[in-house]
Amino acid sequence: MNHVRSHQLFSHAQALMPGGVNSPVRAFKSVGGEPFFTERAEGPYLFDVDGNRYIDYVGSWGPMIVGHNHPKVLNAVVETAQRGLSFGTPNPLEVTMAETITRLIPSCEMVRMVNSGTEATLSAIRLARGATGRMRMVKFEGGYHGHGDSFLVKAGSGALTFGVPTSPGVPKALADLTLTLPYNDFQAATALFDECGDDIACLIIEPVVGNANCLPPREGFLQHLRDLCTQHGALLIFDEVMTGFRVALGGAQARYGVTPDLSTFGKVIGGGMPVGAYGGRRELMEQISPAGPIYQAGTLSGNPVAMAAGLAMLDLIQAPGFYEGLDAKSNTLCDGLEAAAKDAGVPFSTQRVGGMFGLFFSAEKVDTYAGALACDTAAFNRFFHEMLDRGVFLAPSAFEAGFVSSAHDDAVIANTIEAARAAFHAL
Ligand code: PMP
């Protein structure tokens, strides 16, 4: 594969942007080498500026659940844009969006639209602190909730990939209010709430961790957290920025049957435009300005073009059988990869939940953060490049989940598995 133009662009970009990118994991720093620059995307494919085609399992890090450049989403954007890009007044699409989210996610009786997942989580913990009058919050090691100060304590995703899970620049006074727990550890959660549960404003969790590889919750774990929060008057926040409309139409809360007090969303609800949202019980959401005293605002929040893209996407994913289809694709892909690794004698396992999956260079099934850290990262990095050379783009870090879309048909998945057979052998 030739990467001449990507190389030129990356050299230029590095002089102009920190690390040459606008979001860290894109730089390929942990897997080594240089990123390709994408010129266009269609269905399950990315096409780079040098004319190479890749089967894409990153999906813009989650939003592209119906594949890239879906005509219905594209048309909604174009039609809406022709009437103006932003109004600064309420617009009708915001009401339709709120109606749709509250119908699909019954725990959200009211919702507020924002512009990113980070904004959604920042706003949700401000609301939790304001509503409870408590200041401490709990998160999980390896959990990533955007780059808000309170969350950059033992964080996953890029923070973990680059070995700075707790970032310089986060005031110690604030970091001290963030308590961390090991994911899927029932006893540690009980012990923490026994010790200081009555000081805790909220517990925030990725109900399926997708930023420290892909770690599904153990049977009963989410309900255990629900019970602890209820018992101690703390709010349970499901950060469904990744899992929302990804592991089921109703998100992880529907898939596992556990109801949070507040939820955060992003990625899929924006259809590829910059969108986030948070929502929850009416009496909590009514404390947000201007209904209540807790302040949160946004110049571009509820942007008509972004709402149109999101609504088109939410329409597509309500097609009958959509999530059964995604489950089947993830299973075919992961079973195929496991079989290919086994034939090549490579210790390897997978996790899959709905349209998200994890690849682990470990003989055992992994469902803890410690387990994810113990995997053979060097083997993943080599595998990543062997796959890229064969036209398959996996997330460029051992600590990120992968995503399938409805555009990944049987042939695309079979091609991926064939590439993996060769890649595992090449290790
Ligand atoms: N929460 C979760 C669970 C995420 O996966 C992400 C992004 N990967 C965020 C929050 C932050 O979203 P954004 O990058 O849109 O700010």
Side-chain angles (χ1 to χ4, degrees):
M1 264 186 200
N2 145 24
H3 290 112
V4 176
R5 287 205 60 215
S6 277
H7 174 68
Q8 283 168 350
L9 282 165
F10 194 51
S11 302
H12 195 197
Q14 280 173 298
L16 299 169
M17 296 181 269
V21 291
N22 282 313
S23 195
V25 186
R26 293 181 200 168
F28 279 28
K29 231 173 136 176
S30 69
V31 290
E34 292 189 348
F36 60 88
F37 281 62
T38 301
E39 191 166 70
R40 68 186 183 89
E42 193 74 43
Y45 300 114
L46 294 178
F47 298 86
D48 74 12
V49 290
D50 291 291
N52 302 305
R53 187 186 82 172
Y54 307 90
I55 301 174
D56 178 23
Y57 289 99
V58 180
S60 189
W61 300 92
M64 296 304 167
I65 200 164
V66 296
H68 290 282
N69 210 14
H70 193 286
K72 193 164 166 177
V73 179
L74 179 66
N75 287 339
V77 167
V78 170
E79 265 177 35
T80 309
Q82 280 167 343
R83 295 196 293 274
L85 296 183
S86 178
F87 306 136
T89 72
N91 73 74
L93 295 173
E94 296 172 283
V95 185
T96 313
M97 177 58 92
E99 224 170 51
T100 309
I101 295 177
T102 54
R103 176 168 55 78
L104 296 177
I105 315 281
S107 75
C108 293
E109 293 172 340
M110 296 183 99
V111 66
R112 168 65 59 88
M113 302 309 295
V114 293
N115 305 290
S116 67
T118 294
E119 268 187 68
T121 55
L122 281 176
S123 309
I125 57 157
R126 182 178 306 132
L127 171 54
R129 285 171 164 158
T132 59
R134 303 173 180 181
M135 291 300 135
R136 293 176 121 177
M137 59 153 260
V138 182
K139 69 178 283 292
F140 289 86
E141 294 167 1
Y144 181 71
H145 306 287
H147 63 84
D149 283 341
S150 292
F151 301 119
L152 288 182
V153 179
K154 297 195 184 171
S157 191
L160 174 58
T161 301
F162 299 127
V164 282
T166 303
S167 173
V170 174
K172 184 171 183 304
L174 200 58
D176 285 347
L177 296 173
T178 301
L179 310 172
T180 58
L181 280 172
Y183 178 71
N184 268 339
D185 184 332
F186 288 66
Q187 279 183 346
T190 307
L192 181 73
F193 275 82
D194 280 348
E195 192 190 312
C196 60
D198 297 347
D199 295 335
I200 294 170
C202 60
L203 177 148
I204 187 165
I205 182 170
E206 295 180 65
V208 177
V209 174
N211 287 288
N213 213 322
C214 177
L215 311 172
R218 286 188 182 158
E219 175 90 41
F221 185 63
L222 298 174
Q223 186 60 46
H224 180 63
L225 301 176
R226 172 68 281 177
D227 295 342
L228 286 173
C229 285
T230 305
Q231 225 174 307
H232 290 273
L235 299 180
L236 177 65
I237 305 176
F238 276 3
D239 179 356
E240 298 231 40
V241 167
M242 190 182 288
T243 54
F245 315 103
R246 165 63 60 185
V247 301
L249 182 58
Q253 50 198 277
R255 189 164 181 127
Y256 297 104
V258 176
T259 306
D261 299 294
L262 294 172
S263 304
T264 55
F265 301 98
K267 301 189 191 272
V268 171
I269 42 164
M273 299 293 285
V275 175
Y278 65 104
R281 285 206 313 278
R282 183 175 307 279
E283 88 268 14
L284 290 171
M285 292 305 291
E286 280 184 336
Q287 300 191 40
I288 294 294
S289 185
I294 300 171
Y295 197 70
Q296 185 271 311
T299 299
L300 294 175
S301 295
N303 173 272
V305 183
M307 295 304 97
L311 285 169
M313 181 70 91
L314 292 180
D315 203 38
L316 289 166
I317 63 178
Q318 290 179 65
F322 184 85
Y323 287 91
E324 289 79 356
L326 279 189
D327 267 318
K329 288 171 198 296
S330 297
N331 282 329
T332 308
L333 174 68
C334 289
D335 289 345
L337 294 178
E338 284 183 2
K342 195 163 174 221
D343 289 350
V346 176
F348 178 81
S349 66
T350 64
Q351 292 280 14
R352 65 301 284 266
V353 183
M356 62 194 276
F357 64 86
L359 310 179
F360 300 85
F361 282 82
S362 150
E364 313 293 320
K365 278 266 175 219
V366 177
D367 67 357
T368 63
Y369 175 60
L373 287 183
C375 290
D376 186 347
T377 312
F380 172 84
N381 293 348
R382 289 198 304 277
F383 182 70
F384 169 86
H385 280 291
E386 292 292 343
M387 291 296 274
L388 194 67
D389 290 347
R390 292 173 174 82
V392 179
F393 180 46
L394 301 170
S397 161
F399 302 113
E400 302 284 351
F403 303 109
V404 295
S405 80
S406 55
H408 289 73
D409 61 19
D410 291 347
V412 165
I413 292 176
N415 287 344
T416 307
I417 294 168
E418 201 179 311
R421 267 189 190 282
F424 281 124
H425 273 290
L427 296 184

